[in-house]
Amino acid sequence: MRYLLPHPDAVADLSDLDVGLYDGTQPLPENLDDVELYAVPYGIIDPRLCEPITRMPRLNVVQTVTAGYDHVLPFLRPGLTLANGRGVHDAATAELAVTLTLAARRGLPQLVRAGDEGRWDPYWSRGLADARVLIVGYGSIGAAIERRLAGFEVAVSRVARTARPGVRPISEIADMLPHADVVILSAPLTPETEGMVNSDFLAKMADGALLVNVSRGRVVDTDALLTELSKGRMHAALDVTEPEPLPAGHPLWSAPNVLISPHVGGLTAALSPRARRLLVNQVRRHAAGEPLANVVVAP
């Protein structure tokens, strides 16, 4: 087979080509000698799903259906093209970023706890209207987050690795952090962003500010975050953590002012049709000798 994909509907759409199915739940095909494009199965990041790359001598393209691709890099060899799942998770991840922001700013965890105990417990909250929101990492997910914030009467600032109209460079973030009520992380995990949110970064955030992370857990220094949370100076809403999965008894679970979701940013009904479209499009491009979309590592 030339193409090995994890999506049965995409395989069905490509029935005129030599396509096989492997989603990580069934045995890997025995003969991988002719695979030219391998789409890594989606799910909990597991090196075993990337290991087949090393056993495909004719492989020239590795495709992910995740926006992040740091888990694949250790398995790449010279000459391979890596394309990511840019666009597949934009809607779902942006939804969760806004959900976490609203939940934290309106105190929904407090409401849930009171409801579980049968208590009528009205309170004032910060809310989201008139807040200043800083989006750190302004790719397709960052832009999708801003679109969903458009109706909430917030002031949005943007920062990214590369400056462009309306987006300031990451080198200027120290000047922006003190003026943000909400900081939303949607940057990819790279050597430059790993540990970027450290004690210095957090110290520059305003008192009472909210940190929302829908990127990768390793973008944030967990110990530094715990130190700030323990002071009661700031809030955090995290869909990703370091370590991950977050073990029972980890201090983040009991830290004050923190809301945690278990890396579910992309897990909605929107995933499957978008992944299907991406995989079909990429295989058709490859079969026709056309340039691929979403290339993040070129040979």
Side-chain angles (χ1 to χ4, degrees):
M1 82 197 83
R2 293 181 63 194
Y3 305 102
L4 189 56
L5 309 180
H7 198 302
D9 291 336
V11 172
D13 288 345
L14 296 163
S15 59
D16 57 311
L17 298 176
D18 190 7
V19 183
L21 175 67
Y22 174 62
D23 65 6
T25 65
Q26 72 271 76
L28 189 69
E30 290 185 8
N31 187 352
L32 302 175
D33 291 349
D34 295 326
V35 175
E36 298 177 20
L37 184 152
Y38 173 54
V40 180
Y42 179 78
I44 295 174
I45 294 173
D46 187 337
R48 290 174 296 183
L49 301 179
C50 297
E51 187 276 335
I53 294 170
T54 66
R55 293 189 277 140
M56 298 175 175
R58 295 187 61 187
L59 185 69
N60 52 57
V61 176
V62 179
Q63 174 71 53
T64 72
V65 291
T66 55
Y69 52 88
D70 49 282
H71 59 297
V72 181
L73 294 176
F75 296 88
L76 292 186
R77 59 181 180 268
L80 292 184
T81 295
L82 175 63
N84 74 343
R86 178 184 172 94
V88 171
H89 303 281
D90 293 2
T93 303
E95 283 178 358
L96 186 65
V98 175
T99 297
L100 291 173
T101 301
L102 283 168
R105 294 282 292 187
R106 292 303 302 261
L108 261 64
Q110 179 179 335
L111 287 178
V112 172
R113 285 191 290 269
D116 288 343
E117 298 169 6
R119 290 186 291 108
W120 184 266
D121 187 21
Y123 61 92
W124 286 84
S125 67
R126 291 179 178 270
L128 188 53
D130 301 331
R132 299 163 296 180
V133 179
L134 172 60
I135 299 175
V136 180
Y138 200 74
S140 61
I141 291 176
I145 291 170
E146 180 171 7
R147 289 195 298 273
R148 283 155 182 80
L149 287 171
F152 288 100
E153 300 178 37
V154 298
V156 176
S157 300
R158 311 153 202 87
V159 63
R161 180 180 59 182
T162 304
R164 50 194 185 275
V167 182
R168 293 171 64 178
I170 193 71
S171 59
E172 297 180 6
I173 195 169
D175 297 329
M176 305 172 75
L177 288 172
H179 306 290
D181 302 300
V182 180
V183 176
I184 301 178
L185 306 175
S186 59
L189 178 63
T190 66
E192 293 73 29
T193 62
E194 183 166 5
M196 173 181 67
V197 182
N198 54 22
S199 56
D200 185 57
F201 182 110
L202 295 168
K204 289 181 170 62
M205 289 180 60
D207 289 348
L210 169 67
L211 178 74
V212 179
N213 191 3
V214 293
S215 58
R216 284 288 189 264
R218 285 159 51 200
V219 171
V220 177
D221 181 329
T222 300
D223 290 338
L225 178 61
L226 282 167
T227 297
E228 291 298 324
L229 290 171
S230 68
K231 298 175 184 176
R233 196 183 71 80
M234 60 175 295
H235 299 248
L238 312 171
D239 184 50
V240 289
T241 60
E242 174 59 29
E244 192 175 303
L246 195 64
H250 191 281
L252 268 177
W253 287 119
S254 55
N257 302 328
V258 64
L259 172 61
I260 298 172
S261 58
H263 202 156
V264 294
L267 301 184
T268 75
L271 169 61
S272 183
R274 287 160 174 76
R276 176 182 182 174
R277 287 196 295 269
L278 173 67
L279 293 172
V280 170
N281 181 57
Q282 292 289 72
V283 170
R284 292 290 183 197
R285 285 171 177 257
H286 185 274
E290 298 174 355
L292 298 176
N294 300 354
V295 172
V296 291
V297 176

